[in-house]
Amino acid sequence: MAYALAAPRGRGRPRAGEEIDLDVLLQAALEAFAETGYNGTSVRDLSRRLGVSHALLTARFGSKEGLWFAAMEHVLAQTEQSWREVADSPSLDDLEALRQGVVRQVIFSAAHPQVLRIMNHEGAIDSPRLRFVIDRFVNPLRPGVERLLARLVTAGRIRPVPYATLHFLAVVGGGALFANPVEAALLGGPAHPDAEDIRAHAEAVADVLIAGIALATAEA
Amino acid sequence: MAYALAAPRGRGRPRAGEEIDLDVLLQAALEAFAETGYNGTSVRDLSRRLGVSHALLTARFGSKEGLWFAAMEHVLAQTEQSWREVADSPSLDDLEALRQGVVRQVIFSAAHPQVLRIMNHEGAIDSPRLRFVIDRFVNPLRPGVERLLARLVTAGRIRPVPYATLHFLAVVGGGALFANPVEAALLGGPAHPDAEDIRAHAEAVADVLIAGIALATAEA
DNA sequence: TACAGAAATAGACACCTGGTAATTAATTCC
DNA sequence: GGAATTAATTACCAGGTGTCTATTTCTGTA
């Protein structure tokens, strides 16, 4: 809440060394959008909490939506997706790769719960904001998952579950519930899970998913 | 979009037989809240689409939030929860009861995607709106699930997965993704699933979950 | 040291919001 | 048939919104 970006700054250009910390600014914006949604977040309120003027935000990012895009881009750029490496690694057993992929994704989602949270707020299918998240966050995941699942099915190692990719992504999304303070509290998870909690949770989710689709003997 | 509640109605009290259809009104409100969230939905815009004055809505329901509560209550009252019967039915095998419970819940969620959608929009943990959904929608589910899981664990028929109830509820929630036009399209599901699609999906979700936690032989 | 450009602020703009008061028309009751 | 009640409308209010413009202050360079 008290971001304390700066003491009151005064009018003109800031003194050297007193520039605004973009990391802090964008992180605060991300959290605000995640908590109250795009419509529920006002530029003025955010700027007040940051201790800057409201005009700064729209001037720097062009518009409120520009700020939204910048905040999203910022968090997504922080974390380089390692899923594709795992999925196509020839040295890894396919089933183990699937399992590790789930674990990694759940941990990522848990580390950045704002991304899924913000996505939940977007309702209109043709919204450019939703499109951005999909293209940047969901779609890069799909091909790897689908290739891997297809290989496992042809090898007769998992059941050909209908809409398996959708299930997979849903499980990954569901995994993030754990790290979302709101839903964790609701559903009985720990209010402030530490890294170990998150890891244990990710492993459990992966175990259930893998055990659920794996075949002891090939049958399909 | 074109709810066509009524042609322009004119000033005073409506003629007999021209009263407002509450079902249509509340369903439209529910869909609006689901799509754009509480903050993003304006009473005036909704009333315009319904072909009534905006003052009607606040007058009838006290306030915008009153309208929200009425719309939620309306959809939840439509569907009587049958989960508890299933969970505590002595005639049903426990594992089969768990499976049927999942199937029923997924089908319910798919039939009323707005409920979970609206829930997604609520961010503040102490919001009275969020509390309402939890008390009315999530909490009634918990005891049955927990009792059932506990019985199955003591009987040695499923693995004692940590946070199993949370996983269960997450899967149920994830199941609803299928019926949400936004996410279904994103994740590659059918844009307009029919009843059979939904049933097949619900069965598949249940199968994965059950197979994932069931034990062929007791080991815990 | 003078000055062009950069980076912040304050203030005004038109619009939209939820809520309320005044008004009008149909119904119901005596 | 007239009076009271009900249920809708329109008009208005105070406050909040995103955006745009003008202003101020500091930096860097010639």
Side-chain angles (χ1 to χ4, degrees), chain A residues 79-120:
Chain A
T79 324
E80 188 50 49
Q81 284 309 340
S82 54
W83 163 259
R84 266 161 299 185
E85 310 162 23
V86 180
D88 290 325
S89 160
S91 69
L92 220 52
D93 175 76
D94 275 346
L95 203 56
E96 181 56 24
L98 182 62
R99 193 180 173 287
Q100 281 196 25
V102 177
V103 171
R104 283 188 190 215
Q105 276 312 117
V106 172
I107 290 178
F108 168 79
S109 299
H112 301 285
Q114 297 92 1
V115 175
L116 281 159
R117 190 109 204 99
I118 286 178
M119 202 163 147
N120 280 340

mmCIF file of all heavy atoms in Angstrom, chain A residues 79-120:
data_model
loop_
_atom_site.group_PDB
_atom_site.id
_atom_site.type_symbol
_atom_site.label_atom_id
_atom_site.label_comp_id
_atom_site.label_asym_id
_atom_site.label_seq_id
_atom_site.Cartn_x
_atom_site.Cartn_y
_atom_site.Cartn_z
ATOM 1 N N THR A 79 10.170 -13.198 -16.657
ATOM 2 C CA THR A 79 10.294 -14.639 -16.529
ATOM 3 C C THR A 79 10.336 -15.301 -17.897
ATOM 4 O O THR A 79 9.349 -15.350 -18.604
ATOM 5 C CB THR A 79 9.076 -15.192 -15.764
ATOM 6 O OG1 THR A 79 8.695 -14.259 -14.778
ATOM 7 C CG2 THR A 79 9.397 -16.518 -15.154
ATOM 8 N N GLU A 80 11.484 -15.780 -18.251
ATOM 9 C CA GLU A 80 11.593 -16.429 -19.556
ATOM 10 C C GLU A 80 10.996 -17.835 -19.476
ATOM 11 O O GLU A 80 11.312 -18.619 -18.588
ATOM 12 C CB GLU A 80 13.072 -16.508 -19.971
ATOM 13 C CG GLU A 80 13.293 -16.989 -21.372
ATOM 14 C CD GLU A 80 12.432 -16.227 -22.371
ATOM 15 O OE1 GLU A 80 12.423 -14.975 -22.335
ATOM 16 O OE2 GLU A 80 11.775 -16.883 -23.173
ATOM 17 N N GLN A 81 10.071 -18.083 -20.377
ATOM 18 C CA GLN A 81 9.422 -19.397 -20.349
ATOM 19 C C GLN A 81 10.430 -20.498 -20.601
ATOM 20 O O GLN A 81 11.084 -20.526 -21.634
ATOM 21 C CB GLN A 81 8.322 -19.468 -21.410
ATOM 22 C CG GLN A 81 7.060 -18.746 -21.061
ATOM 23 C CD GLN A 81 6.521 -19.119 -19.691
ATOM 24 O OE1 GLN A 81 6.873 -20.168 -19.153
ATOM 25 N NE2 GLN A 81 5.720 -18.261 -19.124
ATOM 26 N N SER A 82 10.498 -21.429 -19.685
ATOM 27 C CA SER A 82 11.421 -22.543 -19.857
ATOM 28 C C SER A 82 10.676 -23.806 -20.276
ATOM 29 O O SER A 82 11.277 -24.856 -20.425
ATOM 30 C CB SER A 82 12.171 -22.802 -18.558
ATOM 31 O OG SER A 82 11.255 -22.970 -17.500
ATOM 32 N N TRP A 83 9.376 -23.645 -20.474
ATOM 33 C CA TRP A 83 8.587 -24.822 -20.781
ATOM 34 C C TRP A 83 9.037 -25.490 -22.082
ATOM 35 O O TRP A 83 9.208 -26.700 -22.155
ATOM 36 C CB TRP A 83 7.108 -24.473 -20.873
ATOM 37 C CG TRP A 83 6.326 -25.530 -21.575
ATOM 38 C CD1 TRP A 83 5.896 -25.500 -22.855
ATOM 39 C CD2 TRP A 83 5.927 -26.794 -21.041
ATOM 40 N NE1 TRP A 83 5.246 -26.659 -23.164
ATOM 41 C CE2 TRP A 83 5.254 -27.478 -22.061
ATOM 42 C CE3 TRP A 83 6.087 -27.426 -19.802
ATOM 43 C CZ2 TRP A 83 4.731 -28.743 -21.886
ATOM 44 C CZ3 TRP A 83 5.557 -28.686 -19.637
ATOM 45 C CH2 TRP A 83 4.893 -29.334 -20.663
ATOM 46 N N ARG A 84 9.270 -24.683 -23.108
ATOM 47 C CA ARG A 84 9.572 -25.282 -24.415
ATOM 48 C C ARG A 84 10.835 -26.125 -24.366
ATOM 49 O O ARG A 84 10.891 -27.202 -24.944
ATOM 50 C CB ARG A 84 9.693 -24.194 -25.478
ATOM 51 C CG ARG A 84 8.369 -23.974 -26.210
ATOM 52 C CD ARG A 84 8.375 -22.636 -26.878
ATOM 53 N NE ARG A 84 8.537 -21.565 -25.882
ATOM 54 C CZ ARG A 84 8.474 -20.277 -26.182
ATOM 55 N NH1 ARG A 84 8.295 -19.905 -27.424
ATOM 56 N NH2 ARG A 84 8.603 -19.374 -25.244
ATOM 57 N N GLU A 85 11.842 -25.628 -23.631
ATOM 58 C CA GLU A 85 13.064 -26.423 -23.488
ATOM 59 C C GLU A 85 12.727 -27.794 -22.902
ATOM 60 O O GLU A 85 13.146 -28.828 -23.408
ATOM 61 C CB GLU A 85 14.042 -25.733 -22.556
ATOM 62 C CG GLU A 85 14.287 -24.271 -22.895
ATOM 63 C CD GLU A 85 14.908 -23.553 -21.705
ATOM 64 O OE1 GLU A 85 15.511 -24.240 -20.870
ATOM 65 O OE2 GLU A 85 14.759 -22.317 -21.621
ATOM 66 N N VAL A 86 11.939 -27.763 -21.818
ATOM 67 C CA VAL A 86 11.596 -29.026 -21.169
ATOM 68 C C VAL A 86 10.853 -29.931 -22.125
ATOM 69 O O VAL A 86 11.144 -31.117 -22.258
ATOM 70 C CB VAL A 86 10.733 -28.756 -19.918
ATOM 71 C CG1 VAL A 86 10.381 -30.064 -19.252
ATOM 72 C CG2 VAL A 86 11.472 -27.861 -18.956
ATOM 73 N N ALA A 87 9.884 -29.339 -22.829
ATOM 74 C CA ALA A 87 8.995 -30.156 -23.657
ATOM 75 C C ALA A 87 9.763 -30.854 -24.771
ATOM 76 O O ALA A 87 9.455 -31.992 -25.123
ATOM 77 C CB ALA A 87 7.886 -29.289 -24.230
ATOM 78 N N ASP A 88 10.738 -30.157 -25.346
ATOM 79 C CA ASP A 88 11.396 -30.736 -26.516
ATOM 80 C C ASP A 88 12.793 -31.276 -26.206
ATOM 81 O O ASP A 88 13.542 -31.613 -27.113
ATOM 82 C CB ASP A 88 11.467 -29.685 -27.632
ATOM 83 C CG ASP A 88 10.085 -29.412 -28.186
ATOM 84 O OD1 ASP A 88 9.294 -30.357 -28.246
ATOM 85 O OD2 ASP A 88 9.804 -28.258 -28.559
ATOM 86 N N SER A 89 13.102 -31.346 -24.926
ATOM 87 C CA SER A 89 14.406 -31.889 -24.565
ATOM 88 C C SER A 89 14.469 -33.375 -24.929
ATOM 89 O O SER A 89 13.646 -34.164 -24.456
ATOM 90 C CB SER A 89 14.625 -31.716 -23.068
ATOM 91 O OG SER A 89 15.614 -32.615 -22.629
ATOM 92 N N PRO A 90 15.430 -33.775 -25.813
ATOM 93 C CA PRO A 90 15.492 -35.181 -26.223
ATOM 94 C C PRO A 90 16.035 -36.074 -25.117
ATOM 95 O O PRO A 90 15.822 -37.281 -25.110
ATOM 96 C CB PRO A 90 16.439 -35.143 -27.427
ATOM 97 C CG PRO A 90 17.253 -33.918 -27.241
ATOM 98 C CD PRO A 90 16.472 -32.964 -26.400
ATOM 99 N N SER A 91 16.715 -35.460 -24.144
ATOM 100 C CA SER A 91 17.345 -36.278 -23.111
ATOM 101 C C SER A 91 16.364 -36.654 -22.007
ATOM 102 O O SER A 91 16.673 -37.447 -21.127
ATOM 103 C CB SER A 91 18.524 -35.515 -22.498
ATOM 104 O OG SER A 91 18.025 -34.429 -21.742
ATOM 105 N N LEU A 92 15.150 -36.054 -22.068
ATOM 106 C CA LEU A 92 14.217 -36.267 -20.962
ATOM 107 C C LEU A 92 13.132 -37.264 -21.369
ATOM 108 O O LEU A 92 12.604 -37.191 -22.472
ATOM 109 C CB LEU A 92 13.578 -34.924 -20.579
ATOM 110 C CG LEU A 92 13.379 -34.652 -19.089
ATOM 111 C CD1 LEU A 92 14.674 -34.876 -18.331
ATOM 112 C CD2 LEU A 92 12.883 -33.243 -18.882
ATOM 113 N N ASP A 93 12.833 -38.175 -20.504
ATOM 114 C CA ASP A 93 11.702 -39.062 -20.737
ATOM 115 C C ASP A 93 10.434 -38.226 -20.892
ATOM 116 O O ASP A 93 10.224 -37.265 -20.160
ATOM 117 C CB ASP A 93 11.560 -40.017 -19.551
ATOM 118 C CG ASP A 93 10.316 -40.876 -19.689
ATOM 119 O OD1 ASP A 93 10.352 -41.821 -20.494
ATOM 120 O OD2 ASP A 93 9.310 -40.569 -19.020
ATOM 121 N N ASP A 94 9.572 -38.598 -21.849
ATOM 122 C CA ASP A 94 8.405 -37.771 -22.161
ATOM 123 C C ASP A 94 7.490 -37.566 -20.957
ATOM 124 O O ASP A 94 7.045 -36.458 -20.680
ATOM 125 C CB ASP A 94 7.612 -38.399 -23.314
ATOM 126 C CG ASP A 94 8.176 -37.999 -24.670
ATOM 127 O OD1 ASP A 94 8.980 -37.048 -24.706
ATOM 128 O OD2 ASP A 94 7.818 -38.630 -25.672
ATOM 129 N N LEU A 95 7.224 -38.640 -20.259
ATOM 130 C CA LEU A 95 6.301 -38.524 -19.132
ATOM 131 C C LEU A 95 6.911 -37.657 -18.031
ATOM 132 O O LEU A 95 6.213 -36.842 -17.410
ATOM 133 C CB LEU A 95 5.964 -39.916 -18.592
ATOM 134 C CG LEU A 95 4.648 -40.037 -17.822
ATOM 135 C CD1 LEU A 95 3.488 -39.548 -18.668
ATOM 136 C CD2 LEU A 95 4.417 -41.463 -17.376
ATOM 137 N N GLU A 96 8.202 -37.809 -17.848
ATOM 138 C CA GLU A 96 8.880 -36.986 -16.849
ATOM 139 C C GLU A 96 8.893 -35.522 -17.302
ATOM 140 O O GLU A 96 8.739 -34.607 -16.485
ATOM 141 C CB GLU A 96 10.304 -37.494 -16.634
ATOM 142 C CG GLU A 96 11.110 -36.727 -15.598
ATOM 143 C CD GLU A 96 10.429 -36.666 -14.240
ATOM 144 O OE1 GLU A 96 9.609 -37.549 -13.942
ATOM 145 O OE2 GLU A 96 10.695 -35.699 -13.496
ATOM 146 N N ALA A 97 9.052 -35.312 -18.589
ATOM 147 C CA ALA A 97 9.018 -33.942 -19.114
ATOM 148 C C ALA A 97 7.658 -33.311 -18.872
ATOM 149 O O ALA A 97 7.551 -32.143 -18.458
ATOM 150 C CB ALA A 97 9.333 -33.944 -20.610
ATOM 151 N N LEU A 98 6.601 -34.078 -19.108
ATOM 152 C CA LEU A 98 5.255 -33.561 -18.864
ATOM 153 C C LEU A 98 5.108 -33.172 -17.397
ATOM 154 O O LEU A 98 4.605 -32.092 -17.065
ATOM 155 C CB LEU A 98 4.215 -34.624 -19.233
ATOM 156 C CG LEU A 98 2.745 -34.214 -19.086
ATOM 157 C CD1 LEU A 98 2.422 -33.053 -20.018
ATOM 158 C CD2 LEU A 98 1.819 -35.377 -19.347
ATOM 159 N N ARG A 99 5.591 -34.046 -16.552
ATOM 160 C CA ARG A 99 5.480 -33.782 -15.120
ATOM 161 C C ARG A 99 6.257 -32.520 -14.733
ATOM 162 O O ARG A 99 5.742 -31.640 -14.045
ATOM 163 C CB ARG A 99 6.029 -34.988 -14.351
ATOM 164 C CG ARG A 99 5.672 -34.957 -12.885
ATOM 165 C CD ARG A 99 6.219 -36.161 -12.145
ATOM 166 N NE ARG A 99 5.982 -35.985 -10.734
ATOM 167 C CZ ARG A 99 6.645 -35.123 -9.972
ATOM 168 N NH1 ARG A 99 7.580 -34.365 -10.504
ATOM 169 N NH2 ARG A 99 6.363 -34.990 -8.688
ATOM 170 N N GLN A 100 7.467 -32.419 -15.231
ATOM 171 C CA GLN A 100 8.277 -31.246 -14.896
ATOM 172 C C GLN A 100 7.659 -29.968 -15.455
ATOM 173 O O GLN A 100 7.734 -28.901 -14.841
ATOM 174 C CB GLN A 100 9.697 -31.411 -15.426
ATOM 175 C CG GLN A 100 10.553 -32.310 -14.554
ATOM 176 C CD GLN A 100 12.035 -32.146 -14.864
ATOM 177 O OE1 GLN A 100 12.468 -31.101 -15.361
ATOM 178 N NE2 GLN A 100 12.805 -33.181 -14.568
ATOM 179 N N GLY A 101 7.059 -30.094 -16.636
ATOM 180 C CA GLY A 101 6.391 -28.935 -17.220
ATOM 181 C C GLY A 101 5.277 -28.434 -16.324
ATOM 182 O O GLY A 101 5.141 -27.228 -16.078
ATOM 183 N N VAL A 102 4.479 -29.362 -15.824
ATOM 184 C CA VAL A 102 3.398 -28.972 -14.923
ATOM 185 C C VAL A 102 3.964 -28.290 -13.685
ATOM 186 O O VAL A 102 3.509 -27.211 -13.290
ATOM 187 C CB VAL A 102 2.558 -30.203 -14.513
ATOM 188 C CG1 VAL A 102 1.491 -29.794 -13.520
ATOM 189 C CG2 VAL A 102 1.916 -30.840 -15.725
ATOM 190 N N VAL A 103 4.968 -28.911 -13.107
ATOM 191 C CA VAL A 103 5.549 -28.342 -11.887
ATOM 192 C C VAL A 103 6.048 -26.921 -12.139
ATOM 193 O O VAL A 103 5.750 -25.986 -11.401
ATOM 194 C CB VAL A 103 6.696 -29.228 -11.368
ATOM 195 C CG1 VAL A 103 7.428 -28.536 -10.238
ATOM 196 C CG2 VAL A 103 6.153 -30.570 -10.904
ATOM 197 N N ARG A 104 6.794 -26.757 -13.229
ATOM 198 C CA ARG A 104 7.342 -25.429 -13.525
ATOM 199 C C ARG A 104 6.254 -24.387 -13.716
ATOM 200 O O ARG A 104 6.347 -23.264 -13.232
ATOM 201 C CB ARG A 104 8.178 -25.491 -14.801
ATOM 202 C CG ARG A 104 9.533 -26.118 -14.587
ATOM 203 C CD ARG A 104 10.347 -25.960 -15.841
ATOM 204 N NE ARG A 104 11.571 -26.748 -15.764
ATOM 205 C CZ ARG A 104 12.724 -26.373 -16.294
ATOM 206 N NH1 ARG A 104 12.796 -25.229 -16.953
ATOM 207 N NH2 ARG A 104 13.783 -27.126 -16.185
ATOM 208 N N GLN A 105 5.225 -24.783 -14.469
ATOM 209 C CA GLN A 105 4.175 -23.816 -14.757
ATOM 210 C C GLN A 105 3.422 -23.421 -13.504
ATOM 211 O O GLN A 105 3.066 -22.256 -13.312
ATOM 212 C CB GLN A 105 3.204 -24.388 -15.793
ATOM 213 C CG GLN A 105 3.653 -24.221 -17.221
ATOM 214 C CD GLN A 105 4.116 -22.811 -17.517
ATOM 215 O OE1 GLN A 105 5.281 -22.604 -17.843
ATOM 216 N NE2 GLN A 105 3.242 -21.848 -17.379
ATOM 217 N N VAL A 106 3.149 -24.399 -12.665
ATOM 218 C CA VAL A 106 2.436 -24.083 -11.426
ATOM 219 C C VAL A 106 3.280 -23.148 -10.566
ATOM 220 O O VAL A 106 2.774 -22.182 -9.993
ATOM 221 C CB VAL A 106 2.079 -25.367 -10.650
ATOM 222 C CG1 VAL A 106 1.522 -25.017 -9.281
ATOM 223 C CG2 VAL A 106 1.070 -26.185 -11.429
ATOM 224 N N ILE A 107 4.559 -23.426 -10.523
ATOM 225 C CA ILE A 107 5.428 -22.562 -9.714
ATOM 226 C C ILE A 107 5.473 -21.148 -10.293
ATOM 227 O O ILE A 107 5.396 -20.155 -9.567
ATOM 228 C CB ILE A 107 6.842 -23.164 -9.614
ATOM 229 C CG1 ILE A 107 6.799 -24.415 -8.735
ATOM 230 C CG2 ILE A 107 7.814 -22.144 -9.040
ATOM 231 C CD1 ILE A 107 8.121 -25.122 -8.595
ATOM 232 N N PHE A 108 5.571 -21.068 -11.624
ATOM 233 C CA PHE A 108 5.550 -19.736 -12.238
ATOM 234 C C PHE A 108 4.251 -19.008 -11.918
ATOM 235 O O PHE A 108 4.249 -17.843 -11.525
ATOM 236 C CB PHE A 108 5.708 -19.849 -13.761
ATOM 237 C CG PHE A 108 5.410 -18.570 -14.481
ATOM 238 C CD1 PHE A 108 6.340 -17.550 -14.526
ATOM 239 C CD2 PHE A 108 4.172 -18.365 -15.082
ATOM 240 C CE1 PHE A 108 6.064 -16.367 -15.159
ATOM 241 C CE2 PHE A 108 3.882 -17.177 -15.717
ATOM 242 C CZ PHE A 108 4.832 -16.178 -15.764
ATOM 243 N N SER A 109 3.137 -19.710 -12.080
ATOM 244 C CA SER A 109 1.838 -19.086 -11.808
ATOM 245 C C SER A 109 1.740 -18.654 -10.367
ATOM 246 O O SER A 109 1.147 -17.621 -10.056
ATOM 247 C CB SER A 109 0.708 -20.066 -12.129
ATOM 248 O OG SER A 109 0.740 -20.419 -13.487
ATOM 249 N N ALA A 110 2.325 -19.450 -9.494
ATOM 250 C CA ALA A 110 2.268 -19.108 -8.078
ATOM 251 C C ALA A 110 3.146 -17.900 -7.770
ATOM 252 O O ALA A 110 2.826 -17.090 -6.898
ATOM 253 C CB ALA A 110 2.696 -20.300 -7.237
ATOM 254 N N ALA A 111 4.233 -17.782 -8.527
ATOM 255 C CA ALA A 111 5.142 -16.674 -8.275
ATOM 256 C C ALA A 111 4.577 -15.359 -8.816
ATOM 257 O O ALA A 111 4.902 -14.287 -8.323
ATOM 258 C CB ALA A 111 6.504 -16.957 -8.899
ATOM 259 N N HIS A 112 3.751 -15.457 -9.843
ATOM 260 C CA HIS A 112 3.170 -14.254 -10.443
ATOM 261 C C HIS A 112 1.654 -14.398 -10.537
ATOM 262 O O HIS A 112 1.101 -14.447 -11.641
ATOM 263 C CB HIS A 112 3.761 -14.019 -11.829
ATOM 264 C CG HIS A 112 5.237 -13.866 -11.815
ATOM 265 N ND1 HIS A 112 5.853 -12.725 -11.363
ATOM 266 C CD2 HIS A 112 6.229 -14.709 -12.154
ATOM 267 C CE1 HIS A 112 7.162 -12.871 -11.451
ATOM 268 N NE2 HIS A 112 7.421 -14.070 -11.926
ATOM 269 N N PRO A 113 0.994 -14.460 -9.408
ATOM 270 C CA PRO A 113 -0.447 -14.697 -9.438
ATOM 271 C C PRO A 113 -1.210 -13.584 -10.129
ATOM 272 O O PRO A 113 -2.340 -13.781 -10.575
ATOM 273 C CB PRO A 113 -0.821 -14.787 -7.953
ATOM 274 C CG PRO A 113 0.251 -14.051 -7.247
ATOM 275 C CD PRO A 113 1.494 -14.256 -8.043
ATOM 276 N N GLN A 114 -0.591 -12.419 -10.258
ATOM 277 C CA GLN A 114 -1.302 -11.296 -10.868
ATOM 278 C C GLN A 114 -1.693 -11.570 -12.320
ATOM 279 O O GLN A 114 -2.728 -11.104 -12.780
ATOM 280 C CB GLN A 114 -0.444 -10.022 -10.821
ATOM 281 C CG GLN A 114 -0.128 -9.523 -9.428
ATOM 282 C CD GLN A 114 1.170 -10.087 -8.931
ATOM 283 O OE1 GLN A 114 1.850 -10.837 -9.626
ATOM 284 N NE2 GLN A 114 1.536 -9.771 -7.694
ATOM 285 N N VAL A 115 -0.843 -12.320 -13.018
ATOM 286 C CA VAL A 115 -1.117 -12.538 -14.441
ATOM 287 C C VAL A 115 -2.457 -13.240 -14.636
ATOM 288 O O VAL A 115 -3.324 -12.778 -15.381
ATOM 289 C CB VAL A 115 0.016 -13.346 -15.088
ATOM 290 C CG1 VAL A 115 -0.327 -13.680 -16.524
ATOM 291 C CG2 VAL A 115 1.316 -12.577 -15.024
ATOM 292 N N LEU A 116 -2.632 -14.362 -13.944
ATOM 293 C CA LEU A 116 -3.896 -15.094 -14.095
ATOM 294 C C LEU A 116 -5.053 -14.292 -13.514
ATOM 295 O O LEU A 116 -6.169 -14.322 -14.016
ATOM 296 C CB LEU A 116 -3.794 -16.445 -13.408
ATOM 297 C CG LEU A 116 -3.028 -17.475 -14.235
ATOM 298 C CD1 LEU A 116 -2.512 -18.594 -13.374
ATOM 299 C CD2 LEU A 116 -3.932 -18.013 -15.329
ATOM 300 N N ARG A 117 -4.752 -13.590 -12.461
ATOM 301 C CA ARG A 117 -5.785 -12.779 -11.813
ATOM 302 C C ARG A 117 -6.303 -11.709 -12.789
ATOM 303 O O ARG A 117 -7.499 -11.498 -12.933
ATOM 304 C CB ARG A 117 -5.157 -12.128 -10.584
ATOM 305 C CG ARG A 117 -6.106 -11.461 -9.692
ATOM 306 C CD ARG A 117 -6.292 -12.226 -8.376
ATOM 307 N NE ARG A 117 -7.580 -11.881 -7.811
ATOM 308 C CZ ARG A 117 -8.652 -12.625 -7.944
ATOM 309 N NH1 ARG A 117 -8.619 -13.767 -8.573
ATOM 310 N NH2 ARG A 117 -9.787 -12.226 -7.445
ATOM 311 N N ILE A 118 -5.389 -11.046 -13.447
ATOM 312 C CA ILE A 118 -5.765 -10.021 -14.403
ATOM 313 C C ILE A 118 -6.541 -10.635 -15.549
ATOM 314 O O ILE A 118 -7.536 -10.086 -16.035
ATOM 315 C CB ILE A 118 -4.505 -9.294 -14.915
ATOM 316 C CG1 ILE A 118 -3.968 -8.372 -13.822
ATOM 317 C CG2 ILE A 118 -4.799 -8.518 -16.191
ATOM 318 C CD1 ILE A 118 -2.710 -7.638 -14.188
ATOM 319 N N MET A 119 -6.099 -11.800 -15.971
ATOM 320 C CA MET A 119 -6.790 -12.496 -17.053
ATOM 321 C C MET A 119 -8.227 -12.803 -16.666
ATOM 322 O O MET A 119 -9.130 -12.717 -17.492
ATOM 323 C CB MET A 119 -6.052 -13.795 -17.331
ATOM 324 C CG MET A 119 -6.312 -14.323 -18.698
ATOM 325 S SD MET A 119 -5.065 -15.526 -19.074
ATOM 326 C CE MET A 119 -6.028 -16.621 -20.099
ATOM 327 N N ASN A 120 -8.436 -13.152 -15.425
ATOM 328 C CA ASN A 120 -9.788 -13.454 -14.971
ATOM 329 C C ASN A 120 -10.705 -12.243 -15.100
ATOM 330 O O ASN A 120 -11.904 -12.379 -15.284
ATOM 331 C CB ASN A 120 -9.770 -13.895 -13.504
ATOM 332 C CG ASN A 120 -9.371 -15.336 -13.363
ATOM 333 O OD1 ASN A 120 -9.457 -16.115 -14.305
ATOM 334 N ND2 ASN A 120 -8.931 -15.706 -12.186
#
